[in-house]
Amino acid sequence: MTSRAKLSAHECVPRDARALLIGRVWVPAEQGPSVVAVRGDDVVDLTPSYPTVSQLLNVAAPDELRAAIKVAPVVGRLGDIVANSREGERDTSRPWLLAPCDLQAVKASGVTFVASLLERVIEERARGNPALADGARREIQAIIGPDLRGVRPGSPEAARIKDVLVARGMWSQYLEVGIGPDAELFAKCPPMAAVGLGARVGIHPASVWSNPEPELVLVINHAGVIVGVTLGNDVNLRDVEGRSALLLGRAKDNNASCAVGPFVRVLDDAFTLDSARRLSFETLVEGLDGFRVKHTTHVAEISRDLADLAAQAISRYHQYPDGMILFIGTMFAPVDDRVHVSLYTDPRIFADEMERIFHRGWVFVGHESEIPGPGDFVTRTLGTQPVLMVRGSEGGVSVFLNRCAHRGTMVCPASHGNARTFACPYHGWTYGLGGELLGVPYPGGYASFDKSAHGLPRVPRLSSYRGFVFASLCPRGPSLGEHLGAATRLIDRSCDLSPEGAIELSAGWVKHQCAANWKMLPENDSDGYHLGFVHLALFKTIRTQYRRVVGDEKTIRAVVRDWGHGHIEIDWSPGYEGPFEWLGGASGSGVDDYVAALERRDGAEAARRRIVEGPAHALIFPNLFLGETNVAIVQPVSVEECVHWHTPIFLKGAPQFNSRLLRMSEAGMGPASFLMPDDLIVARRNQAGLQASLAEWIELSRGLNREYVDAEGRGVSHVTDETTNRALWRHYRQVMVEA
Ligand code: FES
Ligand SMILES: [Fe+2]
């Protein structure tokens, strides 16, 4: 419920008139708490008979309690007390509800639901990294499927399942408590520290990934008997717990991190432990910004019986004279199915992205084939910072900040060319191909001058893969190999189409300005849902290799794939039926020569696979798009503006395809073409629509119902699904929250 709605007894208290409800109320007139019960529309004071809830539950049978309630004095109207319980809005001269427990130990159990077990194993494997967590979540689901449901913890069958998981290297201490004989039980908070209805729960400010855990709470007396139940929120800092299970205490117990209430429903003939076992309850999380998550918990899905949990918690060797309240665990695990509009519209977030994604991370600069000879150069940006990529006289590739060491002027304004030196246009400082400062006009103005300290600054890290040059402005961080991960295979797929194993970008670039946030282009590049709508004109006009994807949803075979680290793919190839569909068909002697060259290198089978599958259609996070027969770059400019660059790929050693590839690029990507202009206009309208900021969330749930993990651990789904968008955003979140 939102903070705007007033709390009402109707919403907060069982409607069953027989319900035996006890709790605690702060009574300002007494300057202290009272033990209370509900009697009709009133709250009555039991404190004279039972000074604490703990003592009441230790000694009072339901009948005795009913008798005491009948004669107890009234504290106030139930509706008034409930309505006065919201922290920050209450009238402190009138009574309000407290947590309905006092001296009892406050404990919680975890890993009691199968889904919860999965969550813990995942958190441990992901070590606090939300993106990794999602990949692992799906990987584990792929391995064990639904079979673990219904397994009785501690049974021989559970032990066998554990062996299988251990053999797969997926052992976790969570498994021990999840399916082993002993439940996980931990101290949630000290006695008297729980908060009640309407209180603000506490989330540690150091946590960026936390969630509520809505749970049934058992109320157990000193003898280990479950005498009542209530509801609670076992607030959890998931990133903290994910770093190490030994941080559980820190993840679970900070100020106000335990909320219970509003009352304890005492078990009696009308509401037994079996009634509790059958309970279902709903959790609704609503942000003031429109965020909304709804979840239903079915207690019946718990893996351990409630009585078993209570028996493990209080026993001969674990005695609690004041009793205990025990959270039974949760299976609430929110999924990522939306993003907030500010990620496309807030200039502060854009500035943060430039720093965290485009400066600290690996960013595509250009291809070595663009600067084949000494002195060849191109100018690019890393985020919004200008850089210069140059082939040196010895043949090596360097990337410098395109900024004069004197007063900071951009040294090289040209997009590309060949130079022996670079002279700053402002005062003529001149630099060599290695960035060294060669000359300073009128040197008499400096008493002593160390030229070697005034070269063009090199980017701190430079690396390349199959001719694709990447740079990072941060001296530390994952290597390029770690950043690319398995996605190198996407680059391979395009390069291996060349008989010489390399693509060439030598046709020059076309740039389109786009009035949209830069992320819309990579998102659109990996969106297979829009083709039949945005590009309808194309399908109506000419025969294309994409035609099948605008047909019946069930017959489409193309897929989207999540390669991790924000690298995402549309794979059209499952829908291709023969060679060169990606090229619009090809034949003739030049083609035969080409196929023969591939066969000599790779063998007939691999060569055929390559010419059927064609080049990759994939985003290499954050700015390189392998657009099948094109390569594209997205260049962020400001929060609502970017530039899209594209050029056709040429296959080294197969020049017979060059003119076809160039024509395809013109027809698909150029300013008067069939694809790109439509995409750019839709991106602009997308950005325009987001100005309607009353609706703050962008829906991204498509395909959650059918995506799966393949044998290599990649998320896969129908080509029209938003698996790729979610993968991009998960990596984005990881990068944006890293310290
Ligand atoms: S700013 Fe470059 S020479 Fe002065
Ligand atoms: Fe498109």
Side-chain angles (χ1 to χ4, degrees):
M1 65 197 71
T2 70
S3 70
R4 290 177 291 274
K6 245 190 160 12
L7 292 171
S8 76
H10 179 71
E11 270 183 318
C12 304
V13 177
R15 287 163 207 178
D16 181 354
R18 297 166 302 172
L20 200 46
L21 302 171
I22 60 162
R24 287 164 71 238
V25 161
W26 184 266
V27 183
E30 310 274 345
Q31 291 197 314
S34 289
V35 176
V36 299
V38 175
R39 186 176 70 204
D41 291 334
D42 289 331
V43 170
V44 297
D45 190 359
L46 297 177
T47 319
S49 317
Y50 307 104
T52 65
V53 174
S54 158
Q55 187 249 0
L56 180 155
L57 294 171
N58 273 349
V59 303
D63 286 346
E64 191 184 324
L65 201 48
R66 266 182 235 287
I69 290 170
K70 255 189 200 141
V71 298
V74 172
V75 178
R77 304 282 289 176
L78 175 63
D80 295 343
I81 293 175
V82 166
N84 194 44
S85 291
R86 195 185 305 279
E87 187 176 344
E89 296 172 21
R90 61 179 66 127
D91 174 351
T92 52
S93 67
R94 303 161 67 85
W96 66 86
L97 282 165
L98 301 170
C101 53
D102 40 38
L103 302 182
Q104 293 98 330
V106 182
K107 294 217 168 195
S109 39
V111 207
T112 47
F113 289 83
V114 170
S116 164
L117 165 67
L118 291 176
E119 274 304 309
R120 299 305 176 85
V121 172
I122 290 163
E123 275 172 24
E124 186 192 63
R125 296 192 77 202
R127 303 217 169 274
N129 174 335
L132 279 183
D134 206 69
R137 181 177 298 121
R138 287 177 296 158
E139 188 187 326
I140 291 171
Q141 283 167 344
I143 290 172
I144 58 177
D147 294 343
L148 203 58
R149 283 184 185 278
V151 170
R152 213 159 32 80
S155 67
E157 188 193 3
R160 281 200 300 278
I161 290 176
K162 179 182 159 189
D163 289 343
V164 169
L165 292 172
V166 169
R168 287 177 185 270
M170 299 184 76
W171 181 86
S172 155
Q173 61 260 52
Y174 292 120
L175 286 172
E176 187 56 45
V177 291
I179 58 179
D182 299 322
E184 180 198 16
L185 297 169
F186 58 90
K188 175 60 187 167
C189 68
M192 306 296 294
V195 297
L197 181 78
R200 293 193 183 115
V201 301
I203 295 170
H204 197 287
S207 171
V208 295
W209 184 23
S210 61
N211 64 263
E213 292 189 355
E215 300 182 22
L216 182 72
V217 180
L218 304 178
V219 182
I220 311 169
N221 70 12
H222 70 105
V225 178
I226 302 171
V227 290
V229 294
T230 184
L231 295 174
N233 180 358
D234 173 17
V235 178
N236 187 22
L237 310 181
R238 296 180 72 182
D239 46 358
V240 175
E241 187 187 356
R243 269 160 42 213
S244 164
L246 297 179
L247 290 172
L248 185 74
R250 196 169 178 77
K252 289 291 190 177
D253 181 14
N254 53 255
N255 296 346
S257 63
C258 175
V260 285
F263 292 97
V264 170
R265 178 155 191 180
V266 176
L267 301 186
D268 57 11
D269 294 342
F271 187 84
T272 64
L273 191 55
D274 270 340
S275 315
R277 289 185 176 108
R278 291 192 299 270
L279 271 180
S280 291
F281 54 93
E282 213 156 74
T283 306
L284 178 61
V285 181
E286 277 188 341
L288 297 176
D289 52 9
F291 179 86
R292 202 163 191 277
V293 170
K294 205 170 175 183
H295 174 80
T296 304
T297 299
H298 303 287
V299 174
E301 290 180 16
I302 195 169
S303 313
R304 294 184 190 271
D305 185 61
L306 304 183
D308 172 41
L309 278 178
Q312 293 209 21
I314 296 189
S315 62
R316 184 171 173 192
Y317 300 105
H318 299 89
Q319 297 190 8
Y320 292 85
D322 296 311
M324 177 188 293
I325 69 164
L326 178 64
F327 286 69
I328 68 163
T330 188
M331 58 184 306
F332 178 62
V335 292
D336 301 322
D337 60 359
R338 70 202 75 188
V339 292
H340 194 261
V341 66
S342 59
L343 296 168
Y344 298 93
T345 56
D346 188 333
R348 292 166 304 179
I349 293 176
F350 178 82
D352 208 19
E353 288 169 350
M354 291 308 102
E355 173 58 28
R356 290 167 178 274
I357 295 173
F358 284 89
H359 299 166
R360 293 188 200 168
W362 287 103
V363 176
F364 175 65
V365 183
H367 195 270
E368 287 172 5
S369 63
E370 296 182 71
I371 48 170
D376 288 345
F377 69 86
V378 293
T379 54
R380 296 286 147 82
T381 60
L382 291 180
T384 53
Q385 297 198 21
V387 294
L388 175 63
M389 181 168 89
V390 191
R391 176 85 62 180
S393 42
E394 307 292 317
V397 173
S398 302
V399 175
F400 304 106
L401 300 190
N402 190 0
R403 175 199 189 281
C404 182
H406 179 217
R407 298 238 295 262
T409 304
M410 182 187 281
V411 172
C412 180
S415 64
H416 64 284
N418 180 277
R420 275 181 298 180
T421 58
F422 295 97
C424 177
Y426 200 178
H427 311 98
W429 287 26
T430 302
Y431 302 88
L433 298 181
E436 69 281 12
L437 179 60
L438 297 174
V440 173
Y442 306 113
Y446 299 100
S448 66
F449 191 77
D450 179 7
K451 276 203 252 174
S452 68
H454 290 82
L456 291 175
R458 279 176 191 272
V459 293
R461 288 190 300 160
L462 186 68
S463 190
S464 68
Y465 182 76
R466 298 196 75 163
F468 290 82
V469 178
F470 297 81
S472 166
L473 292 177
C474 181
R476 293 168 308 281
S479 66
L480 178 63
E482 287 166 327
H483 169 64
L484 293 176
T488 49
R489 283 164 53 193
L490 295 164
I491 298 176
D492 294 341
R493 178 168 160 183
S494 296
C495 295
D496 288 342
L497 278 171
S498 148
E500 296 182 25
I503 62 147
E504 290 182 317
L505 305 185
S506 55
W509 296 85
V510 177
K511 295 187 225 172
H512 287 101
Q513 203 133 19
C514 180
N517 183 272
W518 68 273
K519 298 186 290 298
M520 282 188 180
L521 298 186
E523 282 200 276
N524 181 68
D525 288 336
S526 57
D527 177 301
Y529 196 18
H530 73 281
L531 295 194
F533 312 99
V534 173
H535 305 303
L536 187 61
L538 172 70
F539 299 111
K540 281 193 163 166
T541 314
I542 56 171
R543 184 176 59 84
T544 84
Q545 67 268 35
Y546 306 122
R547 170 152 277 181
R548 275 191 289 277
V549 303
V550 296
D552 177 14
E553 184 178 15
K554 290 202 179 67
T555 61
I556 297 171
R557 282 183 287 168
V559 295
V560 286
R561 242 182 234 118
D562 165 15
W563 288 76
H565 301 264
H567 312 311
I568 46 182
E569 178 197 15
I570 292 181
D571 189 359
W572 301 113
S573 67
Y576 290 156
E577 287 164 359
F580 297 115
E581 286 193 34
W582 49 275
L583 199 58
S587 58
S589 62
V591 174
D592 294 341
D593 293 346
Y594 165 76
V595 174
L598 286 193
E599 285 177 347
R600 275 196 300 279
R601 189 190 66 197
D602 298 333
E605 197 184 320
R608 175 162 172 94
R609 196 183 65 243
R610 294 197 199 293
I611 59 177
V612 171
E613 290 179 352
H617 180 121
L619 173 81
I620 303 297
F621 188 88
N623 68 330
L624 168 63
F625 175 50
L626 304 171
E628 300 171 58
T629 55
N630 294 279
V631 160
I633 302 174
V634 57
Q635 176 193 353
V637 175
S638 66
V639 68
E640 299 197 301
E641 186 185 352
C642 61
V643 178
H644 182 273
W645 303 43
H646 75 265
T647 187
I649 62 169
F650 291 152
L651 304 175
K652 196 169 182 195
Q656 61 271 44
F657 292 120
N658 285 7
S659 61
R660 167 76 69 89
L661 290 164
L662 186 56
R663 294 290 93 79
M664 281 179 71
S665 185
E666 288 164 353
M669 307 288 278
S673 69
F674 276 111
L675 289 170
M676 203 61 217
D678 295 342
D679 286 322
L680 294 171
I681 286 169
V682 158
R684 197 169 72 198
R685 288 189 195 163
N686 203 170
Q687 191 75 30
L690 298 185
Q691 308 303 315
S693 61
L694 268 188
E696 294 185 53
W697 292 93
I698 291 159
E699 152 74 36
L700 279 181
S701 66
R702 189 176 165 80
L704 275 171
N705 58 325
R706 59 183 175 186
E707 65 185 15
Y708 63 95
V709 177
D710 69 10
E712 294 172 59
R714 301 169 301 189
V716 184
S717 204
H718 190 274
V719 72
T720 61
D721 289 345
E722 285 154 351
T723 302
T724 38
N725 304 65
R726 289 189 290 275
L728 177 85
W729 283 108
R730 274 194 302 275
H731 180 68
Y732 175 94
R733 177 174 61 189
Q734 182 196 338
V735 174
M736 294 295 282
V737 303
E738 263 167 8

